[in-house]
Structures are given as C-alpha cells and as structure tokens.
Amino acid sequence: MTYVILQPCCNDASCVAVCPVNCIHPTPDEPEFMRAEMLHIDPATCIDCGACVDECPVDAIVPEDELDDDDSRYLALNAGYFDVHPVDDMPMVQNKSWRKGKFSDLTVAVVGSGPAAFYSALDLHAAGAARIAMFDKLLTPYGLARFGVAPDHQSTKAVTGLFRSLGMKKNFTLHLGVTIGEHVTHAELLQHHDAVIYAVGASSDRRLGVDGEDLPGSHAATEFVAWYNGHPDYANAQFDLSGERAVVVGNGNVALDVARILLSDPEKLAKTDIADHALEALRRSSIREVVVVGRRGAAQAAYTNPEMLSLLDVPDLDVFVEESEVAPDGVTTAMLEAEDTESAVRTKVALAREVAERAPSGASKRLVLRYLLSPKAIRGDGRVESVEFVRNRLQFDTDRRIVAIPTEETVALDAGLVLRSVGYKGRPVRDLPFDEGRGVIPNVDGRVIDPDTGEPIAGVYVTGWIKRGPSGVIGTNKKCAVDTVDALLQDHLEGILTPAGLPAESLISIIEDRAPDALDYEGWSRIDKAERSAGKERSRPRVKFVDVESMLAVARRS
C-alpha cells in the first residue's frame, strides 16, 4: 500500500525531510519544485511507514485504502509524476556547510507577515539568530494565508498553525500596524538590525489594457478576493451581483476560486470564515453562470489540477467546456507526444476533454471554462454589459514555445460583472530599487541589487512574490525563504553585513511615538481568540473582524 497526497497540499515540503526512502518529490533541492503544483508520493518506493502524515501541516496525506471516490484520481496524479521524473534520476541533496556557523549575534528585521515572512523567521530561528523582528502595516498577520486563500479551503489555511508556534519565542517580536517607509524608515531598520528581509508580497493586479476596463462592474479579482476574505481595506467595496452571468478573465487558481465562491451554496460558505458582509451579498446574488476565460489552450491553463478537481466536486454545479476548444490540434498533439511533457499537463488536457464530453446534470448553476480567447474590449453604456474576445490559435514560435496567435474571429459574452484575474504585481517599496516591468524588487538569489551596477546592497534581502513574482503555492515560499536566508547567513559569516549601530529598545520607542496603535503578538492573540470564540458560537472556524476600530478595542482589553 502507498500513501497519497491530495488537493490541500501546500508544497511546504515538511514531509520530504521525514521520508526514510526518498519517495516524495519534487524536493526543494530539485529544479521542478518551484513550479510544481503539488508534491507526489512514488507508489513504487513508498514503504507505508506513515511518517509524512504526522508531519504534514495541512492534513493532505492519506493511505491509499482510505481514498474516497472524489479523491481516487490523486493516486494516478501522484504516480504519473514519476513517469517523467524517475526516483533514480533525482539529484543529491546540497551540503550547506554554512548552516553550521554561529549566528547568536545576528539580528534581522522581516517586513511583511505572510507565509514567506514567517518561513524566513522560522528558518532564522532554527539557525539560532539572536533577534528577529517582524513588521506589518495591518493589525492581523499571515498575509495571503488569511486574505488570499479561499474560505472553503480551510485545510490550506491550517499552515498558519506552524507560524503561530513562533509567536511566543523569546527571540521573536511582532509589530503590527507599523508601515515601513512611514512609521519607520528603511534606514532606521538597518540602523537597528544587521539585515532586513522584505517579504511584502504582490498586492497589486495586472491590467488587461483594453477599452472599457474601468467601467463600473469591472473589477480586479484581487479586490473581490480581499472583499470576501475580510481585508479591512476592502470591507466596504461594492460588487453588483444582480446579473445572471459573470465573466472572469484569466484562468489561474484565483480565477477558479472567485468563480467557485460566486456559485457555491451560501449556506455551505456560512460554515467557513468568509466575511459576513460577503456572505450576505452572496445570499442575495442573482448570478447563475460564471464564464472563466483563458487565452491559450487547456494544456497551458494556469490553474492546477487539484483546483480543477475540487471545482468538479461543488454540489449543484454543472461544469462545461466547449468541445471545439479542447479538440486535438497539431500543436497540442505534438506537445502531448513529447516524452518530457509533464504528467500534470497531460492530466489538464484529459480533464478538460472529459468535462467537454459530459452531459449536463440539470444543476441550477453553471461554470463554463473557455479557452483560446483574448479580451478585446469591455462594452457597456455607463456600466459593464458585455465582453468582446478575439479567437486565438496555437503555434510554436522560433524557440518552440507555444504561443497564442489572434485570428479574425470574435466572440461576445453578455455579463453584468467582469473580474480581471491575469496576475498579481508587486508595488514599489520606499527607498528600494524596483523593476516596474516585472513588478519585483531586483535581486540575485534574494540579495537586493543596485540596478545600475548589478552589485548587491549590503544587508538588504527579499523573499516571496516580491522576489520572484506571483508564482507557486503557499509552501513554495518555504523554499524561497530558505534560499534567501542561506544568502543572508553566508553574508553574515563572510563579514559583509554591517552590525546594527543602535539597540532594539530605541526602535521600540520610535514605534510607540509614531504608531501608537501598533500591536504586538499578545494583542493579535486577543483578536485571534475573539474571532475564534465568535466562530464557535456559530459553528464556524472564526468570525473575522473587518474594521480597525473593532480590532483595536479587542486587542486593548486587559
């Protein structure tokens, strides 16, 4: 018997370290890791020891004989990975000799409190750093784990349990409600710490660049996600759900999330931590169909197979695919016939074609997946009424990459709501260089560089999406953070870092003076406890506070 990794997999890779037979891949040392949609267990190598089960932070691993019908596909998903990546071909683990150094005098500031920030802090703590201080402009930590993960994916949110363990460590301090660049400058952080790691994510959205994009009824999907997840900056946002159809442009996991939330039974969502204002709006919603549109084919779809499979399990929902848009074509056929094509890509095509052949069940709501369409314009008289698309065809470019080429054919879809989901983008950080084109802080292996000289800026590092762009899942940030911390530790041992010139206590005084509403971990713990308590009364994981005043009132209780 083998164990099987399921949809909640967050790619944290804690399971990899405890496997005695090296059967879980890709590992963080393998090049496939950073682009893998999930981890996989090789059924031919697994010895049924169960060590990985206890280590998984999101309960994503089960024995084969406990798979239910909905999860049975994951056995093939796990095994298929090793058809392309046999265990015998896996690289050796890198020997990190610098990890044996002494870091008991190292002090580091971490800006941001999402997964990348906490993974960095956890790794610094494990290395023996003397002091780790974390800063976030919001009054609640965990970033996208709180405000990005869909409310019906509670198992994925469980990764915050790992981060919670850091809160009471003596060498860790949390400063919430502190904006770097406003309350504390970048220079002041460096004066009080040996190094600074920026893990500020990618909070902006990429635009479509088409006419009508700013019409009322056209929104960034990032705003919609923040709204239903209770982000205080978006608690008062308004979305018109009075029409029967919504169109989501882009087909990544976020696109599938917003489509699923729009079409899910509100009473099932009422058992999650969705924001109350969003729940009430969804109860009044008239939307019965969501069309998710991608510019290339099913093989190139940005969503992951686990997200697609979870979509097929939504009750009272028919999922449709236009058969002509997933029919075999020369480019896709050539790609599927190539020996090195990933099993995940083959599965995407197979799933899309399977759905296209399904007969409708008569469900009250529909989700339609469209491919090979690029937005041309958003139309409407004073507000969104329709979206015009141009039909694409696939071809290989000179580098044998598959690209979408527009044709003369156009397609129009009526819609009262349009959500743009074509990617996140980082925002500039005051006093740091910024790459506007990529939406990241320029860096090499996590070391921030001067774009004019290409030389590293001593003591300044990045991790997460602001380092590499918006890619991967929550656990991907662990590998990203460890790589950045590796660079920082090596620089410390080589004497590259400038020691902090001022004591930590003086920075505390600055924060108390400039950000009097700032909270520490104890203050956040009071908010956390109050949210969980309110949730328990309503059989929910938590009921989120969505306004600053309520959070501060709870945090200040003695």
Side-chain angles (χ1 to χ4, degrees):
M1 187 185 73
T2 182
Y3 279 82
V4 182
I5 297 178
L6 305 179
Q7 184 272 332
C9 177
C10 68
N11 290 36
D12 171 89
S14 297
C15 54
V16 171
V18 299
C19 178
V21 292
N22 190 34
C23 75
I24 305 176
H25 295 272
T27 73
D29 295 296
E30 294 163 6
E32 295 81 15
F33 181 84
M34 293 302 288
R35 58 179 183 270
E37 59 183 40
M38 60 180 286
L39 303 185
H40 313 80
I41 293 176
D42 179 18
T45 309
C46 178
I47 60 172
D48 189 23
C49 70
C52 55
V53 176
D54 295 332
E55 200 68 22
C56 178
V58 294
D59 297 328
I61 306 175
V62 300
E64 174 188 1
D65 60 1
E66 292 183 13
L67 289 173
D68 57 30
D69 290 342
D70 291 339
D71 291 331
S72 59
R73 292 178 183 268
Y74 285 94
L75 182 60
L77 271 180
N78 278 249
Y81 178 83
F82 299 94
D83 293 340
V84 181
H85 305 283
V87 172
D88 292 343
D89 294 342
M90 302 300 177
M92 297 293 292
V93 175
Q94 182 183 11
N95 179 25
K96 299 180 179 181
S97 58
W98 58 86
R99 287 276 173 168
K100 299 177 182 179
K102 180 182 178 182
F103 305 105
S104 57
D105 59 342
L106 177 64
T107 63
V108 182
V110 180
V111 182
S113 68
F118 267 97
Y119 279 128
S120 298
L122 284 166
D123 200 36
L124 287 164
H125 173 74
R131 180 165 52 87
I132 307 152
M134 184 177 289
F135 302 82
D136 198 293
K137 64 181 181 180
L138 297 178
L139 294 177
T140 56
Y142 307 141
L144 283 181
R146 179 178 171 96
F147 296 120
V149 176
D152 58 348
H153 281 2
Q154 287 298 309
S155 57
T156 304
K157 293 174 182 274
V159 73
T160 58
L162 284 176
F163 308 151
R164 200 174 294 118
S165 66
L166 188 64
M168 303 309 294
K169 302 295 184 184
K170 292 182 179 180
N171 64 337
F172 175 80
T173 55
L174 181 63
H175 304 280
L176 298 171
V178 178
T179 301
I180 302 305
E182 179 182 336
H183 299 124
V184 177
T185 67
H186 169 68
E188 287 171 331
L189 280 184
L190 281 176
Q191 288 172 343
H192 292 84
H193 303 87
D194 302 332
V196 181
I197 299 176
Y198 284 88
V200 293
S203 58
S204 182
D205 66 287
R206 294 189 179 276
R207 294 178 60 82
L208 300 176
V210 301
D211 290 343
E213 186 169 7
D214 294 318
L215 279 172
S218 171
H219 306 271
T222 54
E223 297 171 358
F224 189 69
V225 170
W227 171 74
Y228 67 59
N229 271 321
H231 193 297
D233 292 347
Y234 296 91
N236 296 319
Q238 299 293 319
F239 299 91
D240 186 353
L241 308 181
S242 62
E244 291 195 358
R245 178 190 285 158
V247 170
V248 182
V249 181
N251 63 4
N253 282 353
V254 172
L256 295 197
D257 279 347
V258 299
R260 193 179 62 253
I261 295 300
L262 281 168
L263 295 170
S264 291
D265 180 355
E267 300 317 309
K268 291 189 178 297
L269 292 176
K271 300 300 182 182
T272 72
D273 64 351
I274 190 170
D276 281 347
H277 58 255
L279 182 61
E280 291 308 310
L282 290 167
R283 281 178 168 143
R284 299 189 301 269
S285 172
S286 298
I287 292 176
R288 294 295 176 266
E289 178 178 285
V290 177
V291 184
V292 177
V293 184
R295 65 185 177 89
R296 295 191 291 172
Q300 297 82 34
Y303 58 75
T304 62
N305 286 309
E307 283 300 316
M308 177 64 158
L309 288 171
S310 70
L311 193 64
L312 300 179
D313 293 335
V314 176
D316 195 29
L317 177 68
D318 273 334
V319 181
F320 287 84
V321 169
E322 292 281 342
E323 194 165 357
S324 62
E325 293 175 354
V326 293
D329 64 273
V331 172
T332 302
T333 299
M335 181 202 64
L336 293 177
E337 290 176 350
E339 291 184 358
D340 60 349
T341 296
E342 294 287 349
S343 60
V345 174
R346 301 180 193 276
T347 301
K348 281 184 184 178
V349 175
L351 278 174
R353 290 176 178 172
E354 176 187 316
V355 172
E357 294 172 358
R358 283 185 177 183
S361 69
S364 64
K365 296 180 180 180
R366 294 167 34 112
L367 190 148
V368 182
L369 295 171
R370 300 294 303 268
Y371 303 95
L372 299 170
L373 297 174
S374 291
K376 184 178 181 181
I378 299 174
R379 309 290 189 191
D381 184 9
R383 62 160 295 101
V384 168
E385 295 176 356
S386 67
V387 189
E388 184 179 357
F389 295 90
V390 62
R391 170 79 64 191
N392 296 324
R393 61 178 176 83
L394 299 179
Q395 74 174 40
F396 288 108
D397 67 8
T398 54
D399 295 320
R400 295 293 292 174
R401 293 175 301 189
I402 297 175
V403 295
I405 304 298
T407 68
E408 297 298 319
E409 181 184 352
T410 59
V411 175
L413 294 174
D414 292 338
L417 175 69
V418 175
L419 296 173
R420 313 180 303 270
S421 184
V422 292
Y424 287 75
K425 184 179 180 181
R427 297 178 185 271
V429 175
R430 187 178 298 181
D431 298 325
L432 292 184
F434 189 70
D435 184 333
E436 289 284 355
R438 295 183 58 214
V440 299
I441 293 174
N443 71 94
V444 175
D445 299 329
R447 296 178 177 94
V448 175
I449 61 170
D450 182 329
D452 294 328
T453 66
E455 293 298 316
I457 301 174
V460 188
Y461 303 84
V462 285
T463 189
W465 283 5
I466 197 65
K467 169 187 174 183
R468 68 181 192 275
S471 63
V473 293
I474 283 180
T476 312
N477 291 294
K478 183 176 182 179
K479 155 72 171 169
C480 186
V482 169
D483 288 347
T484 292
V485 172
D486 275 340
L488 190 158
L489 297 180
Q490 291 177 74
D491 291 350
H492 177 70
L493 292 175
E494 293 174 11
I496 294 174
L497 304 183
T498 301
L502 296 173
E505 292 73 17
S506 64
L507 184 60
I508 299 297
S509 298
I510 290 174
I511 292 172
E512 290 175 347
D513 179 54
R514 300 178 189 169
D517 289 333
L519 301 179
D520 57 12
Y521 191 81
E522 184 178 353
W524 153 243
S525 295
R526 293 194 186 106
I527 295 173
D528 183 39
K529 183 178 180 180
E531 288 185 342
R532 290 173 180 271
S533 178
K536 186 176 182 180
E537 294 175 2
R538 295 162 59 180
S539 300
R540 300 176 63 182
R542 67 173 65 238
V543 176
K544 291 179 178 177
F545 292 107
V546 297
D547 64 283
V548 170
E549 291 75 16
S550 297
M551 294 181 202
L552 289 174
V554 170
R556 288 168 175 164
R557 290 176 187 168
S558 59

